[in-house]
Amino acid sequence: MSTFAALWDSLLPIGRDPATGGYRRFCWTPAELECRAWFETTAAERQLRVAADGNGNLFAWWDVSNGGPAVATGSHLDSVPDGGAFDGPLGVISAFAAIDELRAAGFQPARPIVVAAFAEEEGGRFGVACLGSRLLTGAIDPDSARGLRDGAGITFADAMLAAGHDPAQLGPDDDLLGQLATYVELHVEQGRALAGLDAAVGLAEGIWPHGRWRLDFTGRADHAGTAKLADRADPMLPYAATVLAARQAATELGTLATIGKVLAEPGAANAVSSAVSAWLDVRAAGPGPLDATLDQVLTAARAAAESQQVAFEWKSESVTPAVSFDAELRGRLAAALAGQRIAAPVLPTGAGHDAGILAARLPTAMLFVRNPTGVSHSPAEHAEPADCAAGVTALAAVLRELAG
Ligand SMILES: [Zn+2]
C-alpha cells in the first residue's frame, strides 16, 4: 500500500457521520482533536517535530541545520457540516506523502520543510473562515476571536481552553512567519475546470473576493392556527424573499450568492416564527460586482421586511478581498512541474483558503487536484486515486524545487 493510501485510510473514519457519510470535524470538538492527534502521530512516525503555535495551528517540521526559512505546505483538517473527505485533508496527507516520496528518493533538503494544519479554516463552528491563519497573520484582532461564539453560545476562548490550549496566546506571530519562506497549499479543486482540461493538477491564479453576512429578521411569534394572516409579523416571509433575491442578484450580476444556513426561532411547526437568522455568502470576480450583489440583496431584504412589519438588521461576519498569488512563485512551480512533464493549467477560484490569507505576508501558491464533478462541501466530493497520486508527485516536485 502506498503511504498516501495508508494515511488516507487512517484519517478517513475520524469525525464521519454514519447517517450522512459527511464529516463533522469542528474546531476543538472531540472529532477535530482526534484529527490533531492523528497529525501528531503521523508526524512522529516520520521524525518530524510537531509544534503548535498560540493560535492552535499545527506544524510538523523537517528540520535542517542552518537552512534558513522553511518551505511550508499543508492545508486544514476541520470541515464544514457534512463536508467531504478531501477538502483540507487532501493537502495535509499529500504533504506527508510527498515527504515520504522525497525521502525514498534520497532527497536532502537545503532548507526546512514544514507541514501545516490550520485551525478553523472553514469557520464551521465559530463563523469566521481561515480563523487560524487570520490570527497568525494579524488579520483578525485576538480579542474579537476570543469572543466568537458557536451555535451553543460557547466562546472560541472557552472551547480552546477546554481543549487544553491557552487562549491568552492567540494573536499574530511574526517570529513564526519569519521562519517561513513560502507556503504552497495543495487542495482538491472546488469546481470542474480541470475535468475539461485533461489535467490532474492545476495552479491557482488567485481567489475571488468573498464575504459572509448575517441577516436577522425579527417578527412576532404567534399561533399558526389562530393568528390571522393580516395580523402576523412573520419573519419567514422576508427571509424567503431574500433567498430568491440573492439568486436573482447573482444571476443578473454574474456572481455567486448563497444562503446555506438558517435558524428559525422558536422553531415550532405550529407557530409563526419570532425571528429568522440567515447567513449570506457572496463571491465575485471583483469587488464591484461583490458590493453590487450585496447591495441588491440587502435592498430586497429591507423592502420585504418592511412590507411584513418585520425588523431587519445585518452585519458582516467576514470579508476577504481578492487575492493574487505570487506570480514569480507560480512561474517557478510551473517550470518545475513542466520539468517533470506535468501540465498544470492556471485557474482562478471562488473558494477561500489559508494560502490566500498568508499571501499578505509571504509568497504563496496553490496546487489543485482534479475533482471530476466539481462538487465540494458535500459528502459527494471526490478525486480519483490516480489524480491524488499525481498531486503527491507534483507537490514533491515543488518541494524539491523550493527546498533543494
Ligand atoms: Zn479547504
Side-chain angles (χ1 to χ4, degrees):
M1 191 188 268
S2 71
T3 73
F4 178 90
L7 287 164
W8 187 258
D9 289 350
S10 62
L11 183 60
L12 200 65
I14 303 174
R16 182 163 54 186
D17 185 85
T20 64
Y23 287 88
R24 297 179 179 186
R25 294 167 173 162
F26 307 132
C27 198
W28 307 125
T29 61
E32 197 249 10
L33 295 176
E34 222 183 305
C35 291
R36 288 170 178 269
W38 171 91
F39 183 95
E40 287 172 9
T41 304
T42 301
E45 284 167 359
R46 289 162 176 75
Q47 289 82 48
L48 303 173
R49 176 177 57 87
V50 176
D53 68 4
N55 300 305
N57 302 313
L58 292 171
F59 298 90
W61 293 82
W62 181 357
D63 289 312
V64 172
S65 50
N66 305 320
V71 177
T73 183
S75 191
H76 61 94
L77 295 173
D78 66 314
S79 76
V80 295
D82 285 324
F86 294 81
D87 179 355
L90 183 65
V92 178
I93 288 174
S94 297
F96 285 123
I99 286 177
D100 291 347
E101 239 181 69
L102 290 171
R103 284 175 167 173
F107 174 72
Q108 289 288 342
R111 54 172 76 226
I113 293 176
V114 57
V115 181
F118 288 99
E120 183 73 344
E121 192 274 345
E122 301 287 7
R125 181 167 178 195
F126 296 98
V128 177
C130 301
L131 186 58
S133 55
R134 283 182 207 271
L135 281 160
L136 170 61
T137 56
I140 186 171
D141 166 61
D143 272 335
S144 46
R146 277 186 278 266
L148 291 170
R149 287 178 190 277
D150 70 5
I154 298 167
T155 64
F156 186 74
D158 285 344
M160 192 176 180
L161 196 60
H165 293 255
D166 178 8
Q169 304 299 316
L170 288 175
D173 190 336
D174 291 337
D175 274 358
L176 175 56
L177 288 170
Q179 293 170 47
L180 308 179
T182 52
Y183 177 61
V184 180
E185 180 169 357
L186 179 146
H187 205 279
V188 68
E189 189 194 0
Q190 295 170 299
R192 274 188 288 125
L194 289 173
L197 290 177
D198 192 29
V201 297
L203 281 163
E205 179 181 48
I207 300 178
W208 283 14
H210 55 279
R212 246 179 235 190
W213 292 267
R214 179 184 169 133
L215 315 179
D216 289 303
F217 302 92
T218 309
R220 190 181 63 250
D222 216 330
H223 195 294
T226 58
K228 287 183 186 153
L229 293 180
D231 293 342
R232 296 181 182 189
D234 185 350
M236 195 60 81
L237 298 175
Y239 156 71
T242 304
V243 174
L244 299 176
R247 178 59 176 256
Q248 191 182 341
T251 305
E252 287 172 17
L253 296 162
T255 61
L256 297 167
T258 307
I259 293 180
K261 178 178 173 182
V262 57
L263 286 175
E265 300 287 343
N270 57 356
V272 174
S273 296
S274 57
V276 174
S277 299
W279 281 261
L280 171 70
D281 178 302
V282 183
R283 296 156 199 251
L290 184 84
D291 292 347
T293 304
L294 177 65
D295 282 351
Q296 199 167 318
V297 176
L298 293 178
T299 302
R302 222 174 271 121
E306 211 176 291
S307 74
Q308 299 296 330
Q309 288 79 52
V310 166
F312 173 63
E313 281 178 35
W314 63 277
K315 69 171 186 175
S316 150
E317 286 200 336
S318 68
V319 181
T320 308
V323 172
S324 300
F325 289 116
D326 191 274
E328 194 184 319
L329 178 62
R330 181 169 59 242
R332 212 175 143 192
L333 266 49
L337 294 174
Q340 301 293 313
R341 300 214 177 93
I342 300 171
V346 176
L347 317 167
T349 177
H353 298 284
D354 294 308
I357 303 297
L358 291 169
R361 298 296 299 274
L362 57 141
T364 63
M366 288 191 74
L367 284 170
F368 291 131
V369 171
R370 176 163 54 193
N371 175 344
T373 63
V375 171
S376 187
H377 286 184
S378 150
E381 184 181 82
H382 184 68
E384 292 296 333
D387 288 354
C388 294
V392 173
T393 301
L395 184 59
V398 161
L399 296 178
R400 185 185 282 274
E401 163 69 19
L402 298 177

